[in-house]
Amino acid sequence: MNKLWNILWLLALSTTLYAAGYSVTGRVMDASSRKAVEFANVSIAREGETTPLTGEMSDKDGEFALTGLSNGRYILTVNFVGYVDALRPIVIDGQDVNIGKIWLKEDAKVLQEVEVVAQGSTMRFELDRKVFTVDQNLAAAGGSVTDALENVPSVDVDQEGNISLRNSENVEVWINGKPSGLTGDNRADILRQMPAESIKEIEIITNPSAKFSPEGTAGIINLVMKKDRKAGYYGSVNANIDYALSEPWTTPPGGRGGLNFNFSKSIVDGYFNVGYHYHSSNGRTINDRYNYDIDAAGDTTAITRLKRNGRTNRLGGGLFVRAGLDFHVTERSIIGVSGFGMVNTANDKTGGWFSSINKNNNSYDLYQVTNYVGPRNSANIDSLTQHYDRNQRGTGDHPGGNAMLDWRFEISKARKLSMSAQFMQFGFNQDNFYEQTNQVTQEQLSENLDRSVQLKADYEWKPTKQSRLEAGWQTDLAWRKALVKAWDCDANDNRTAELLPYYNDFRNNEQTHALYITYGNRFWDKLSLQVGLRGEIYKRHITSDYYDATNTLTQYSADTLYFQLFPSVYIGYNFGKGHEMQVNYTRRIDRPRGHQINPRQDMSDPTYIQYGNPELNPQYSSSLELNYLKNWERHTISAGLFYRYAEKVTQNIRYRDAAIMRSTFINLGTRHEAGVELVGKNRLFKELLQLTTSVNFYYNRLDRATYTPTLNGQVFDQVVIPEQNIFAWSARLNMNFMFTKTFSAQISGRYRSPRVVAQGQTSHSYSIDIGLRKTFLNNALALQLNVRDLLDSRARRNTTSGDGFWQYQENSWHSRTIGIGLTYNFGNMRAKRNERQNNNSMSAADQYNDQGTDE
């Protein structure tokens, strides 16, 4: 802690330093539109020399500042794609120089050549984040956002749609810099429904600053939606069809179709997206478990083997709609209204068989007495004692959406204020019937509704060209409820008797109130410093109504209230010639929600009952990172080292209850994670191949812990979780080929080694996707073909063991699919270069960029 205070003290002292030498300032303007040009390259060299002494990009107001210059004669060069270069002679004689406005003229010939020849970049790097461009992801063309995430370095998506970042599932997924109602329970369904074509970029931010919510100990994945401001109108229509190629059922093809429309006229910008998705997929489930009965002396008295093979066929459709309007009330004031909504229906059919094989040790078994003695998986297997079929059929719908009102006001060139209000509502309803050999049909009904409101205000002040101060307030209110009921039914699915042990009425109300402040400064155009502090008050009230062992309706309730501080520190240094380095520290939190704390019991598998733990506490982590970035003309390498220490780690555990396996979530003690991340991007063979390679190495250690499970007042035997550690790694390779100006291809491959979890580890996984694209009619029409999971290898496999059991599980959400699609672009647009295509980027590095001073 003393070291941290020493760093903060040094940062405070550093604000009194000033850059040496003189400066050259100015503003880059578009000669046609009379607007500022952002991201123009500005460099300066001594007269008669060609090597620049320094340089930077113009900011969103077109302004730039080159500092640290001595007396002498110079040549200033300004260039930007599609414009004619501008050169200005400069003389510095004992004082700073402001050359005023530099007018750039368009070069139509150059712009045309760039548009038809260059291959778009799949990823760009900054020290605090990596940005993945979805438009260049051919393997996910015509797919969902989930498909796009599967090709992003450091991100893994399993077969149930669970997302992990750097080997951790404690990650937040946001839309346009805000949570937008996505939670661990609903985001898998939302992201599968959301078309990839609606996403412009995916930002990976592993250590966000104090300006942003500290939720998600592994970091934030921010989905930047398309929202281009271009004069006139433009849009696209798209349609694709995909087909599952694997057994067991012959399923109809799935598909997706949509319309995207954008316009800008006078003071109004708007966009409208609508898409319909019909999905058809096959999955599989394997569960192989050995139960061991152990006497007081520690000897095994009986072994029971339970094996399950299941198949799943999922059919359903959904509508996704997104729209927004921006009103430019004045030159400095913008009011925006936006939102999205979705309605998704599904029909799930699952079938499988369960078999129970008894093995006897020491001449005693609960099911059957035999003379068998031998190790697990031995060829000496006794007779089959149970064999039954269990089929599931059901329907479901997942309606939801959000609406947002925001206001952005530029008080002066250096002072800005933004405010927003957002309302979100998502439902998740399912009605499933289970049919099992020699048993009556059973029904389980689940009704879930989440509502939340977010109020936010941010203030920004740039007192100097090199510094920035930000402060803000945020309030989040959430109301979540989930009702579960179950019944026995007759042959006509009429309810005959309620199954009271499965009844649960769960409610969770939350409040979070936060204040933050950050300050950043840049010195000598080399050293970047930023410190931040966020304080949060969190309040939660939980109630859970259930029937106890005597069939008496009982209520569990709990209240939580605490205040926490979340500091952040960033130090960056630009060595010049493309070398940059950054070290940062943040403290973050992962609050349990949804299925983690909801004690509902899922009856889909009567031998494996899963439920949540309402007594679960939040998980805290402290993360330290060191990042290095090197840019060459055609190559980029990013390297990172990180260490993360977590307390009250949330993990899923399993334990035996007689012949039934139960699963819930608990807080372990501590977890240590360290890793190395290497990402490289290379342009090879004269733009023929763009290669993005990422390799991650991890070390995880989970400390020993004990836990006594409880469920609806019932107390079970203590569970011991031994200490575990493992070295793991993953690799990903994206190869983008541009064979001609109109024909391109992509191959994406990924591998993930085994990882440690509580009571066991997950197995390795690998997959390959391929995609092809051919454009026609001057790039207005595009034909796409892709194959996802070419090897039909995507599955989640894990092995766990504990007191009295050993278990292997394998789940696959979908099988190999092939898809073909068409996209047609239309419009009379002309880009307004003076504005960013999107203002929802979350870059913390922006706090170090040179900006204007107050007016």
Side-chain angles (χ1 to χ4, degrees):
M1 191 66 183
N2 290 333
K3 292 183 178 179
L4 178 59
W5 283 114
N6 290 336
I7 292 175
L8 297 177
W9 176 245
L10 289 174
L11 294 179
L13 286 176
S14 67
T15 61
T16 64
L17 301 177
Y18 292 90
Y22 302 103
S23 66
V24 175
T25 58
R27 191 179 187 193
V28 184
M29 307 292 292
D30 185 315
S32 299
S33 67
R34 317 296 288 180
K35 300 294 185 180
V37 177
E38 186 180 12
F39 301 126
N41 295 304
V42 184
S43 61
I44 193 167
R46 291 193 178 275
E47 189 176 67
E49 298 180 3
T50 58
T51 303
L53 295 174
T54 184
E56 69 170 27
M57 290 185 177
S58 59
D59 64 19
K60 68 176 183 177
D61 296 314
E63 296 183 344
F64 64 88
L66 306 178
T67 59
L69 300 171
S70 59
N71 291 329
R73 294 180 176 273
Y74 300 87
I75 297 296
L76 181 79
T77 303
V78 181
N79 57 65
F80 190 70
V81 174
Y83 290 95
V84 178
D85 291 357
L87 284 73
R88 296 288 187 273
I90 303 293
V91 177
I92 298 179
D93 186 13
Q95 62 182 358
D96 297 337
V97 176
N98 187 333
I99 62 174
K101 296 178 180 178
I102 301 175
W103 299 95
L104 294 186
K105 297 181 179 180
E106 288 188 357
D107 188 334
K109 179 180 178 181
V110 173
L111 183 59
Q112 181 182 14
E113 289 175 354
V114 171
E115 289 175 341
V116 299
V117 175
Q119 179 180 182
S121 174
T122 59
M123 177 170 288
R124 74 177 187 269
F125 299 85
E126 294 184 13
L127 279 173
D128 69 308
R129 62 173 179 165
K130 298 174 182 66
V131 184
F132 185 82
T133 305
V134 177
D135 284 344
Q136 301 299 321
N137 188 359
L138 304 185
S144 66
V145 173
T146 300
D147 299 319
L149 284 170
E150 289 176 347
N151 290 292
V152 176
S154 304
V155 176
D156 289 286
V157 184
D158 68 15
Q159 291 299 303
E160 285 74 38
N162 299 310
I163 298 170
S164 61
L165 176 63
R166 284 184 173 176
N167 207 37
S168 173
E169 293 186 0
N170 300 319
V171 58
E172 289 287 295
V173 180
W174 288 5
I175 298 177
N176 285 343
K178 297 179 177 62
S180 300
L182 272 66
T183 66
D185 286 334
N186 64 28
R187 71 185 180 198
D189 293 298
I190 295 174
L191 298 182
R192 286 194 186 102
Q193 181 65 18
M194 189 178 296
E197 287 80 5
S198 66
I199 302 296
K200 177 178 178 283
E201 295 173 337
I202 298 173
E203 297 180 334
I204 307 301
I205 308 175
T206 53
N207 246 10
S209 74
K211 177 179 179 180
F212 306 107
S213 170
E215 292 271 7
T217 55
I220 296 172
I221 299 174
N222 184 42
L223 308 177
V224 181
M225 309 294 285
K226 289 181 178 177
K227 182 186 175 184
D228 302 335
R229 190 182 186 203
K230 298 180 179 180
Y233 70 92
Y234 78 102
S236 65
V237 290
N238 60 81
N240 74 282
I241 188 170
D242 54 71
Y243 187 73
L245 302 177
S246 302
E247 296 293 340
W249 287 291
T250 301
T251 59
R256 188 186 296 271
L259 166 68
N260 303 305
F261 183 75
N262 292 254
F263 70 91
S264 178
K265 186 176 182 180
S266 184
I267 65 170
V268 180
D269 304 325
Y271 61 89
F272 174 75
N273 313 131
V274 60
Y276 180 79
H277 176 214
Y278 182 81
H279 61 87
S280 174
S281 63
N282 296 325
R284 64 182 182 274
T285 301
I286 298 175
N287 192 334
D288 193 5
R289 184 168 80 240
Y290 291 82
N291 292 336
Y292 303 91
D293 292 336
I294 302 174
D295 61 19
D299 297 325
T300 300
T301 58
I303 303 176
T304 303
R305 182 185 185 188
L306 177 69
K307 188 174 183 180
R308 174 191 177 192
N309 285 314
R311 293 290 184 266
T312 302
N313 173 232
R314 295 179 174 89
L315 303 173
L319 185 69
F320 180 86
V321 179
R322 174 176 169 265
L325 290 172
D326 277 349
F327 300 92
H328 297 256
V329 182
T330 68
E331 290 186 356
R332 293 188 172 186
S333 179
I334 301 175
I335 295 177
V337 180
S338 61
F340 72 85
M342 54 177 282
V343 178
N344 187 25
T345 60
N347 290 282
D348 289 358
K349 298 180 179 179
T350 63
W353 57 270
F354 297 77
S355 62
S356 180
I357 299 174
N358 283 350
K359 299 180 180 181
N360 191 336
N361 188 13
N362 297 333
S363 301
Y364 178 77
D365 192 326
L366 178 63
Y367 294 95
Q368 172 182 341
V369 177
T370 68
N371 294 322
Y372 172 76
V373 177
R376 191 182 72 239
N377 295 330
S378 169
N380 185 9
I381 299 177
D382 262 19
S383 59
L384 191 69
T385 58
Q386 295 185 58
H387 183 261
Y388 54 90
D389 293 324
R390 183 175 177 85
N391 298 305
Q392 172 187 337
R393 51 185 169 82
T395 59
D397 61 88
H398 318 302
N402 82 344
M404 185 173 72
L405 174 67
D406 65 276
W407 175 56
R408 287 155 279 164
F409 180 59
E410 187 176 309
I411 303 171
S412 67
K413 188 178 296 185
R415 299 176 187 269
K416 297 178 182 178
L417 176 66
S418 63
M419 303 178 69
S420 65
Q422 186 174 197
F423 172 77
M424 296 144 281
Q425 176 172 306
F426 292 93
F428 182 80
N429 307 306
Q430 283 189 316
D431 192 6
N432 293 319
F433 291 86
Y434 304 94
E435 299 170 346
Q436 185 170 311
T437 304
N438 299 324
Q439 288 191 11
V440 299
T441 299
Q442 293 181 327
E443 177 189 5
Q444 186 170 45
L445 176 67
S446 300
E447 297 176 346
N448 300 268
L449 182 63
D450 293 352
R451 290 193 178 102
S452 58
V453 171
Q454 183 185 89
L455 305 174
K456 198 171 187 292
D458 298 287
Y459 173 75
E460 177 186 303
W461 175 41
K462 300 174 216 126
T464 69
K465 298 282 289 184
Q466 310 287 349
S467 62
R468 174 183 296 188
L469 176 71
E470 292 181 296
W473 150 79
Q474 180 176 321
T475 289
D476 292 276
L477 309 174
W479 304 268
R480 301 179 174 95
K481 59 182 181 180
L483 177 65
V484 180
K485 293 183 177 182
W487 300 268
D488 284 336
C489 300
D490 60 22
N492 297 318
D493 291 342
N494 296 313
R495 299 166 180 171
T496 58
E498 185 172 0
L499 303 175
L500 296 182
Y502 287 95
Y503 175 88
N504 187 265
D505 187 0
F506 179 78
R507 297 173 186 269
N508 175 25
N509 298 331
E510 298 180 21
Q511 297 182 33
T512 306
H513 307 278
L515 291 173
Y516 77 86
I517 184 169
T518 67
Y519 175 76
N521 209 331
R522 174 178 285 180
F523 307 94
W524 311 292
D525 279 341
K526 299 290 185 181
L527 179 64
S528 300
L529 304 171
Q530 186 231 29
V531 293
L533 184 64
R534 186 183 185 95
E536 290 195 350
I537 297 176
Y538 177 79
K539 182 180 180 180
R540 184 179 72 182
H541 177 66
I542 286 178
T543 61
S544 176
D545 296 340
Y546 63 92
Y547 286 92
D548 62 17
T550 63
N551 291 336
T552 301
L553 186 62
T554 307
Q555 183 178 87
Y556 167 87
S557 64
D559 291 286
T560 303
L561 176 65
Y562 58 80
F563 172 77
Q564 290 287 332
L565 293 174
F566 301 95
S568 65
V569 180
Y570 292 78
I571 304 175
Y573 192 83
N574 188 335
F575 296 92
K577 297 183 179 180
H579 295 270
E580 296 179 72
M581 184 173 287
Q582 184 195 78
V583 61
N584 58 68
Y585 164 83
T586 62
R587 182 174 187 258
R588 301 186 62 78
I589 188 173
D590 188 61
R591 297 185 176 101
R593 293 188 176 95
H595 69 286
Q596 292 182 330
I597 58 175
N598 185 354
R600 72 178 294 272
Q601 300 181 70
D602 185 3
M603 64 189 306
S604 58
D605 181 355
T607 68
Y608 183 64
I609 305 297
Q610 305 176 66
Y611 66 96
N613 176 11
E615 297 180 353
L616 207 59
N617 291 312
Q619 170 181 315
Y620 297 92
S621 73
S622 295
S623 180
L624 183 66
E625 289 190 15
L626 175 65
N627 297 310
Y628 171 77
L629 180 65
K630 168 62 178 173
N631 286 293
W632 293 272
E633 182 179 356
R634 304 174 66 84
H635 308 281
T636 302
I637 184 171
S638 170
L641 300 173
F642 70 90
Y643 171 75
R644 187 162 52 233
Y645 172 79
E647 300 175 292
K648 300 181 180 179
V649 178
T650 302
Q651 283 282 295
N652 180 254
I653 65 159
R654 298 164 176 82
Y655 63 93
R656 279 187 58 192
D657 177 16
I660 297 175
M661 179 68 69
R662 296 189 181 273
S663 173
T664 189
F665 295 88
I666 69 167
N667 290 115
L668 299 179
T670 58
R671 181 172 190 153
H672 305 265
E673 297 176 285
V676 179
E677 181 182 64
L678 301 173
V679 184
K681 185 176 69 174
N682 304 275
R683 292 181 180 269
L684 307 173
F685 311 118
K686 297 182 179 180
E687 299 291 341
L688 171 64
L689 173 62
Q690 182 182 135
L691 187 67
T692 303
T693 309
S694 66
V695 182
N696 294 268
F697 301 94
Y698 312 100
Y699 172 77
N700 289 345
R701 191 186 85 196
L702 276 171
D703 291 341
R704 183 182 183 276
T706 59
Y707 176 71
T708 302
T710 61
L711 175 63
N712 294 344
Q714 184 179 0
V715 180
F716 298 92
D717 292 338
Q718 185 183 71
V719 178
V720 178
I721 298 94
E723 177 182 309
Q724 298 186 73
N725 60 80
I726 193 172
F727 172 81
W729 66 281
S730 64
R732 195 183 305 266
L733 179 68
N734 289 340
M735 296 183 291
N736 289 269
F737 300 89
M738 192 162 213
F739 302 111
T740 69
K741 298 175 183 179
T742 61
F743 182 44
S744 56
Q746 182 185 72
I747 301 176
S748 299
R750 62 192 66 83
Y751 174 83
R752 188 178 187 182
S753 74
R755 297 177 301 128
V756 66
V757 295
Q759 299 177 291
Q761 67 179 32
T762 64
S763 300
H764 73 279
S765 61
Y766 59 91
S767 63
I768 295 177
D769 298 336
I770 60 175
L772 299 171
R773 175 182 290 166
K774 173 67 176 176
T775 61
F776 309 89
L777 305 178
N778 195 25
N779 293 329
L781 181 66
L783 174 67
Q784 299 136 10
L785 173 69
N786 54 48
V787 180
R788 300 189 188 100
D789 197 10
L790 179 66
L791 305 179
D792 200 20
S793 56
R794 279 193 184 129
R796 181 169 184 165
R797 306 173 181 89
N798 62 70
T799 303
T800 55
S801 60
D803 293 338
F805 77 93
W806 178 94
Q807 179 172 259
Y808 170 79
Q809 287 180 297
E810 179 177 328
N811 295 284
S812 174
W813 182 266
H814 58 74
S815 58
R816 180 194 302 116
T817 59
I818 183 171
I820 185 171
L822 280 172
T823 301
Y824 179 73
N825 301 297
F826 60 88
N828 66 348
M829 66 285 190
R830 178 179 179 272
K832 294 185 179 180
R833 292 188 184 86
N834 60 297
E835 298 192 20
R836 279 194 178 186
Q837 287 189 326
N838 198 289
N839 62 355
N840 297 302
S841 171
M842 294 176 55
S843 173
D846 285 345
Q847 298 174 72
Y848 309 135
N849 291 342
D850 295 343
Q851 302 290 342
T853 54
D854 204 354
E855 287 186 338

